[in-house]
Amino acid sequence: MNKKILVTGGAGYIGTHTCIALHAAGYDIVVYDNLSNSSREAINRVSTLIGQSIDFIEGDIRDAESLRQVFSAHQFFGVIHFAGLKAVGESVAQPLKYYDNNVSGTITLLEVMSEYDVKNLVFSSSATVYGDPERLPIDENSPRSCTNPYGQSKLTVEHILEDLAVSDASWNLIPLRYFNPVGAHPSGQIGEDPNDIPNNLMPYISQVAVGKLEKLSIFGNDYPTTDGTGVRDFIHVTDLAQGHVAALNYLESQTRTAKTDSIGFLPINLGTGKGTSVLELVAAFSKVSEQDIPYQFADRRAGDIASCYASADKAKDLLKWQAELSIAEMCQDTWRWQSMNPNGYNAT
Ligand code: NAD
Ligand code: UFG
């Protein structure tokens, strides 16, 4: 029988791509999402792509009763927990909203998982937990610190998971620390659909390329990097999705073979290990899309760091996973999604 996975936040950007990868890997999925930052159309498109309807429940992770109904109706092998809010600027303006959603919501989910004795969790953490890194590439033992409520909410959940693993050895908890997810499904049917003017670089570039935004502002050209602009570890979202399948496969193999010794708390970076500068990404996008990307240099953005890229060795060693897709493919797939869906999932 296929293993069944609960995917919280499965209607979102990374969740939709991961649902497709999970289905292809033979997992059964149930998606639980309150649609606060996503749409039913995304779920419909995933259904079309996988050729079967998705078991979807509209619900909030802070609603224990609603979660209990889901756990009563299904026998889950584990949970992939994407649900959460992710806008750094909004988190500074509305910290309680972020702690409530991301921290309280996760506690409620963990409590219900415990009630139903489901102890396998893959959690969406972030490279943001490393703050301004002391050394590069960043490995999983690097010190953690955060400068904004969004980052604090991720770090707090990591601490909660660590404490939980100490308190009860039957938990298997894998926080995956994503670097900078970009790109879209190669079909052009699903991708990132920001509500407002994008905060992040890749969706901003693609909206300039498609003519929705006039010009990119590059925040800082005086960083100690090759060309003065920020350097990040961009990772294709379909590679990232595959990383979740690899984490589940690892959980399965460990829980099968090492019954007395659980995984506990096992943080793993998901990145490519390569840094790309803002200017390099703009040039790559311009080349594959054959569009001009007008830009201007602006002041550094508060809270930004110069460079951030992963050591991807732990994922390779333990999960037998590594990112495969290039910057050109990330740009190509983003461009296909953006040009086929200039208004995202909202057709009007
Ligand atoms: P997203 O906003 O597209 O997806 C998150 C989903 O969770 C949305 O569909 C939203 O409706 C849902 N959701 C939010 N609060 C909920 C709640 N209380 N109950 C139920 N559903 C809820 O974001 P994404 O880019 O797909 O990110 C997924 C996860 O990965 C998030 O936890 C995010 O913080 C983390 N992450 C994202 C990035 C990135 O750059 N995209 C980087 C690092 C970590
Ligand atoms: N940038 C610009 N102009 C823009 C947007 C971004 O120059 O309009 C620059 C930034 O200054 C930075 C780089 O592009 O140098 C990347 O910025 P993003 O906003 O795309 O990504 P960040 O690395 O700042 O942060 C992202 C997510 C965080 C997450 C982090 C690590 O927004 O939530 O990656 O995973 F924590």
Side-chain angles (χ1 to χ4, degrees):
M1 209 177 72
N2 286 349
K3 291 256 188 321
K4 198 178 268 192
I5 307 296
L6 178 66
V7 186
T8 75
Y13 171 47
I14 304 169
T16 45
H17 292 83
T18 304
C19 285
I20 292 171
L22 290 171
H23 174 79
Y27 287 99
D28 289 335
I29 50 179
V30 175
V31 170
Y32 186 88
D33 196 304
N34 67 359
L35 301 182
S36 60
N37 196 36
S38 51
S39 65
R40 271 178 194 278
E41 176 60 15
I43 294 288
N44 295 341
R45 292 198 188 181
V46 173
S47 298
T48 306
L49 285 168
I50 67 173
Q52 74 182 54
S53 71
I54 295 261
D55 203 341
F56 171 66
I57 296 122
E58 186 171 345
D60 196 297
I61 50 165
R62 293 163 296 179
D63 182 346
E65 215 27 68
S66 163
L67 281 174
R68 282 191 191 102
Q69 283 175 21
V70 178
F71 278 79
S72 299
H74 302 273
Q75 186 128 36
F76 294 115
F77 168 74
V79 177
I80 302 187
H81 177 32
F82 294 107
L85 303 176
K86 63 167 182 177
V88 173
E90 187 187 54
S91 80
V92 174
Q94 300 182 62
L96 296 181
K97 183 173 164 183
Y98 274 68
Y99 288 119
D100 182 37
N101 245 279
N102 296 3
V103 179
S104 304
T106 302
I107 292 173
T108 303
L109 173 68
L110 291 166
E111 282 170 345
V112 175
M113 286 175 69
S114 179
E115 280 173 37
Y116 287 83
D117 203 28
V118 177
K119 299 280 184 73
N120 297 321
L121 178 82
V122 176
F123 169 64
S124 297
S125 188
S126 167
T128 197
V129 300
Y130 296 119
D132 197 348
E134 280 171 14
R135 55 180 191 274
L136 292 165
I138 306 171
D139 67 43
E140 288 81 353
N141 297 321
S142 302
R144 288 171 292 168
S145 70
C146 286
T147 53
N148 60 70
Y150 166 72
Q152 283 295 355
S153 75
K154 291 290 173 192
L155 189 50
T156 303
V157 169
E158 285 206 3
H159 288 316
I160 291 169
L161 299 181
E162 280 175 277
D163 291 343
L164 197 57
V166 170
S167 76
D168 173 354
S170 62
W171 283 98
N172 300 301
L173 305 161
I174 304 188
L176 295 176
R177 295 178 182 151
Y178 312 153
F179 280 68
N180 287 60
V182 296
H185 191 264
S187 65
Q189 291 301 311
I190 59 170
E192 189 170 9
D193 184 15
N195 268 336
D196 223 330
I197 295 179
N199 297 309
N200 297 119
L201 180 61
M202 185 65 116
Y204 205 107
I205 291 176
S206 68
Q207 292 199 13
V208 171
V210 85
K212 283 183 77 176
L213 294 170
E214 196 192 335
K215 186 187 278 192
L216 171 72
S217 289
I218 296 183
F219 302 137
N221 62 347
D222 57 353
Y223 284 110
T225 59
T226 43
D227 58 25
T229 64
V231 166
R232 294 292 184 274
D233 185 342
F234 298 101
I235 174 168
H236 198 298
V237 66
T238 61
D239 274 335
L240 196 70
Q242 218 44 60
H244 292 75
V245 174
L248 279 183
N249 288 344
Y250 182 74
L251 273 173
E252 266 200 68
S253 67
Q254 292 298 301
T255 49
R256 205 169 39 235
T257 55
K259 289 214 176 327
T260 51
D261 192 12
S262 76
I263 288 173
F265 175 81
L266 183 69
I268 301 181
N269 288 341
L270 292 186
T272 65
K274 289 186 216 96
T276 300
S277 76
V278 173
L279 277 175
E280 285 167 344
L281 191 70
V282 171
F285 199 98
S286 184
K287 188 170 175 202
V288 302
S289 64
E290 299 179 342
Q291 304 295 315
D292 260 357
I293 319 280
Y295 63 81
Q296 65 194 5
F297 290 116
D299 289 345
R300 291 181 179 191
R301 186 170 65 178
D304 272 1
I305 54 178
S307 294
C308 172
Y309 51 91
S311 159
D313 293 348
K314 192 171 176 185
K316 192 173 175 193
D317 292 346
L318 288 183
L319 307 185
K320 315 293 175 217
W321 169 92
Q322 61 183 338
E324 306 285 346
L325 299 171
S326 65
I327 289 284
E329 286 162 308
M330 299 178 209
C331 294
Q332 188 67 64
D333 290 335
T334 303
W335 178 235
R336 189 179 300 107
W337 154 254
Q338 180 71 70
S339 41
M340 284 170 66
N341 308 271
N343 297 313
Y345 291 114
N346 185 357
T348 53

